[in-house]
Amino acid sequence: MSAGFAEIRTMSSTKTVIETPDLVDVEGVDYLARIKLIAEICHQFPQVFLAKGRSERERFALEAIKWRWMATPSDGRLWIVRVLAEFDFRIEDVVNLQELDDELNRMLDSAD
């Protein structure tokens, strides 16, 4: 989450998109859209810090990352993967991607 805040602050002060390993071609990318994307990803994580005890924090964090993964477009997913990698995690270490895809498909099917 701190990486997200740092990127948001940099882009808001420079009014440009910053190049990162997940976004190397910044030409034509709207910096406000990128800020919004990162803010949306980080939105649920402050509640994690309010949880009491390590197990509750881990549970909240896991639920937040699952939801964000399902609700985030591919460019946001690349951002999530990069930030996790900076802390030596892989998304596959955190969540079961097949289960999330199955759950998302069930949600989409029930909406029809």
Side-chain angles (χ1 to χ4, degrees):
M1 194 167 66
S2 62
F5 292 146
E7 289 181 40
I8 288 170
R9 289 184 73 178
T10 301
M11 288 186 285
S12 66
S13 64
T14 64
K15 296 185 175 28
T16 59
V17 175
I18 57 172
E19 188 174 301
T20 59
D22 62 295
L23 184 67
V24 292
D25 184 10
V26 297
E27 189 173 326
V29 178
D30 177 23
Y31 80 97
L32 289 175
R34 184 72 175 176
I35 288 172
K36 182 180 183 296
L37 173 77
I38 295 170
E40 285 292 324
I41 293 169
C42 295
H43 175 75
Q44 281 187 295
F45 289 95
Q47 75 173 1
V48 172
F49 301 112
L50 299 176
K52 294 178 175 68
R54 181 179 177 162
S55 64
E56 189 171 298
R57 279 193 302 276
E58 288 177 356
R59 184 173 53 81
F60 281 0
L62 182 59
E63 289 304 312
I65 195 77
K66 284 180 180 180
W67 172 250
R68 286 290 22 132
W69 188 261
M70 290 192 309
T72 301
S74 60
D75 53 344
R77 288 179 175 188
L78 289 172
W79 186 86
I80 293 170
V81 167
R82 176 182 55 86
V83 171
L84 287 174
E86 289 174 2
F87 294 95
D88 295 324
F89 287 103
R90 297 176 322 136
I91 188 68
E92 297 88 352
D93 297 335
V94 180
V95 295
N96 182 321
L97 295 179
Q98 185 60 51
E99 283 180 13
L100 290 182
D101 284 344
D102 292 346
E103 185 175 342
L104 182 58
N105 287 330
R106 280 191 300 276
M107 291 168 60
L108 292 172
D109 288 345
S110 69
D112 289 339

